[in-house]
Amino acid sequence: SYTPTLVPHNVSLSYMNTATRLRFLHTPGHTPDELAIWDDDEDILYVGDTVYEWDPIIFPLQGDISVWFDSMDFLIEFVRERNEQNHKLGRPTARINSGHATSMADALDVLLEGKKFIQDVVSGVEPLKNRTESGGVVQVHYAQENGRFSLRCPEVLIEEAKSYYKP
């Protein structure tokens, strides 16, 4: 049982019971209502569809890559702080699970490399693989040669993000 509460961007809410300690992190970008969940006991970050490997990250038209960059920066700093604490305590580094293929990977690595890939897309370093139209919306597809990270989204999201991200 819970009572929903609207919170500002990137605010941590803690839910504690006898079984687990979870922090709910508002991480918009992929969608305006995207959440990540941090498990304090297991040192695992659950990011849903925010970022993942080996399957295309798919942004809907309601997504915002500029806001996604802010959320990624927030998550990167959050994980760095947890890793520093874990190092002092002799604990392993944080792991990440997503809504798709990524499971139990090094959280900081996935966050940093996923962000870099999207930066490469927005800055034009990563070449376009495919452009299609569906329902009057132009969709684009980008993919790393090794297949680790790929992206499918409305082209307008890339264009809007270009004004935000300057290499």
Side-chain angles (χ1 to χ4, degrees):
S1 174
Y2 66 93
T3 302
T5 304
L6 295 176
V7 297
H9 176 57
N10 294 332
V11 170
S12 171
L13 298 176
S14 295
Y15 170 75
M16 306 293 181
N17 67 24
T18 57
T20 189
R21 295 179 304 146
L22 302 175
R23 295 182 198 200
F24 296 86
L25 310 167
H26 184 219
T27 55
H30 172 261
T31 60
D33 59 351
E34 188 79 22
L35 293 175
I37 301 171
W38 172 255
D39 184 325
D40 277 315
D41 295 323
E42 300 293 330
D43 294 317
I44 298 175
L45 179 65
Y46 297 91
V47 295
D49 288 340
T50 298
V51 65
Y52 43 88
E53 308 161 291
W54 313 116
D55 279 336
I57 300 167
I58 301 172
F59 277 77
L61 192 55
Q62 298 80 10
D64 187 323
I65 293 174
S66 300
V67 172
W68 181 88
F69 280 130
D70 291 339
S71 290
M72 289 297 286
D73 289 340
F74 169 76
L75 289 172
I76 289 165
E77 185 57 31
F78 183 89
V79 168
R80 278 189 174 134
E81 290 172 5
R82 292 328 166 271
N83 283 349
E84 287 175 17
Q85 292 170 0
N86 286 352
H87 180 73
K88 291 175 186 174
L89 298 171
R91 295 176 62 175
T93 58
R95 298 286 173 210
I96 192 169
N97 285 335
S98 75
H100 293 271
T102 300
S103 176
M104 298 304 286
D106 180 280
L108 191 56
D109 177 61
V110 171
L111 293 169
L112 288 170
E113 293 301 315
K115 179 184 173 195
K116 182 183 180 316
F117 168 70
I118 302 294
Q119 287 173 328
D120 288 349
V121 166
V122 171
S123 67
V125 172
E126 188 67 45
L128 176 68
K129 298 292 184 198
N130 191 15
R131 178 182 283 115
T132 60
E133 186 175 329
S134 175
V137 177
V138 176
Q139 301 282 333
V140 290
H141 177 219
Y142 295 85
Q144 290 179 325
E145 288 300 318
N146 66 8
R148 183 177 182 195
F149 291 102
S150 59
L151 170 69
R152 290 184 195 272
C153 70
E155 188 169 41
V156 66
L157 298 184
I158 303 295
E159 295 305 316
E160 290 170 352
K162 286 180 180 179
S163 65
Y164 172 84
Y165 176 71
K166 305 282 188 208

